[in-house]
Amino acid sequence: MTLILPTFLTLVAITVLPILITFGISLFYIKLTSAAGPVFIGLENYFELFTDDRFLNSLVVTVELIFIPVALQIVIGLLLAMILKEKLPGMGWMRIAFLLPAVIPPAVSGLVWKLFIVPGAGGLTYGASLFGMDLSLDLLSMPSSALAVVVATSVWVGTPFVALLMLSALESIGEEQYEAARIDGANWFQRHWYISVPEMLPVIVTVTVFRILEALAIFPIIFVLTGGGPAGSTEPINYYAYVNGFEYLRVDYAATIIFFFFVAMMGATAPFLINIARREGREARS
C-alpha cells in the first residue's frame, strides 16, 4: 500500500481534484470584472442550463459530433483493417500513409481542411473541376455543410487510430478459421462478416467507447475551422463553455457546463467501462 500511495495521490491530484474544484466554482456567482468576491448561489447555474437555448443547441451539436464521426470511424476503420490485412503489394507503405492523419496535431488538421475547401482555390475545387464541376461554394458559411466538414475532418483524424487497433485484433485471429471458411465456399465479405466481426466484437465495443470519450478532442479543429459557427451549427458543449469562460468571462457558468457534461458522459459510458474492466479482470485471472 505504501508503494502505490504516491501514484494514487498523483492520480487523485490530476483527475478527481480538478473535477471537484470545477463543481465548487459552479456553485458560485463570479464576476471577474467586479471587485466583489464570489457569491454562493447553489444550483442556480444548473437551472439556467435548461432555459438556455444556446446550451440546448450545443447539446444537440455535441451528440451529432460524437455519434456520427464515431460510427463512421468504426465502419471505415474496420474496412481499412480488413483491406490492410491482405497480403497485397505496397501494403507496408499504405499502413504508414494511413497513420499520417493520426500524428498531425488537431489544430493543424483543421488548418489543412480549411485550406482544402477554400472557395475557388482549394484542393476540393480543383478536384471537382477535373470532373467538369464548378464547386466554388463557401462550405463553412452554411450550417449543414459546415457541420459536414467538421464531421469529415474528425473522421479523417480518428479513423487511422481505429484502423490500427482493428488491424491488431484481426491479426490475432487464427488463419485456420479463414481457410476452413474459404474451403466451404465463403467469399471475402462472408469470411469477415461471420468470423472477423464476431471475434472482434469486444474490441469494437472497447474502441467505440474510448472514441466516444475522445470525440470532443475535436475542439482545436472547430476553433480553427468554424469558431462554432455559422449560427452555432458547429458549437458543441466544450466550445460553448470556452466562449462563456474566456469571451464572456462567466467562469462560474462555464464550470457548470463542463461539470454537467462530465457527469452526463460518465453516466452514459460507465456501464461499458465497468464491463470492459470486468472482462479484463477475468482474462487476467484465467
Side-chain angles (χ1 to χ4, degrees):
M1 181 64 184
T2 305
L3 294 176
I4 66 171
L5 186 60
T7 302
F8 175 76
L9 293 177
T10 301
L11 289 174
V12 169
I14 64 177
T15 56
V16 178
L17 192 58
I19 294 169
L20 294 178
I21 292 174
T22 301
F23 176 66
I25 293 173
S26 72
L27 300 178
F28 288 83
Y29 172 74
I30 302 173
K31 190 173 183 179
L32 296 180
T33 56
S34 170
V39 178
F40 181 78
I41 57 173
L43 300 177
E44 285 186 24
N45 281 327
Y46 290 92
F47 297 141
E48 182 180 346
L49 287 179
F50 299 100
T51 59
D52 183 350
D53 291 336
R54 191 169 173 180
F55 168 76
L56 297 176
N57 173 74
S58 71
L59 195 60
V60 174
V61 173
T62 300
V63 172
E64 293 173 334
L65 290 179
I66 288 177
F67 291 103
I68 297 175
V70 169
L72 291 173
Q73 288 172 23
I74 296 300
V75 173
I76 298 173
L78 183 57
L79 289 174
L80 285 177
M82 292 174 180
I83 294 171
L84 292 172
K85 185 178 184 294
E86 303 298 323
K87 308 301 181 183
L88 299 176
M91 280 300 168
W93 289 103
M94 288 185 67
R95 291 188 183 195
I96 296 174
F98 278 127
L99 287 176
L100 288 178
V103 299
I104 298 176
V108 177
S109 298
L111 182 60
V112 168
W113 273 80
K114 193 163 189 174
L115 294 174
F116 178 67
I117 62 173
V118 170
L124 183 61
T125 302
Y126 175 74
S129 68
L130 297 178
F131 296 94
M133 295 183 292
D134 181 16
L135 186 59
S136 56
L137 295 174
D138 184 1
L139 297 178
L140 297 181
S141 66
M142 298 175 287
S144 57
S145 58
L147 183 64
V149 171
V150 173
V151 168
T153 307
S154 177
V155 172
W156 184 71
V157 170
T159 298
F161 176 74
V162 174
L164 183 65
L165 294 178
M166 297 292 187
L167 180 60
S168 176
L170 266 177
E171 291 180 337
S172 67
I173 301 174
E175 285 295 328
E176 62 277 1
Q177 297 185 59
Y178 296 106
E179 186 61 32
R182 191 180 296 110
I183 293 172
D184 288 338
N187 58 34
W188 183 86
F189 177 80
Q190 289 171 328
R191 292 196 297 271
H192 282 295
W193 181 255
Y194 292 105
I195 297 175
S196 301
V197 174
E199 290 281 343
M200 294 173 59
L201 195 56
V203 174
I204 293 173
V205 172
T206 301
V207 172
T208 300
V209 171
F210 282 100
R211 287 311 301 167
I212 288 174
L213 291 174
E214 295 174 4
L216 287 183
I218 199 175
F219 175 92
I221 294 174
I222 294 174
F223 186 86
V224 172
L225 267 179
T226 66
S233 60
T234 61
E235 184 179 73
I237 284 179
N238 58 346
Y239 197 90
Y240 184 44
Y242 162 80
V243 169
N244 274 279
F246 293 94
E247 293 185 13
Y248 303 157
L249 300 181
R250 291 197 61 189
V251 293
D252 53 336
Y253 196 55
T256 304
I257 295 169
I258 290 299
F259 185 78
F260 173 84
F261 186 60
F262 167 77
V263 172
M265 287 293 291
M266 287 298 99
T269 58
F272 298 99
L273 295 173
I274 292 171
N275 184 55
I276 292 169
R278 286 175 177 173
R279 186 175 64 247
E280 291 181 351
R282 288 194 298 266
E283 291 175 354
R285 289 193 296 270
S286 60

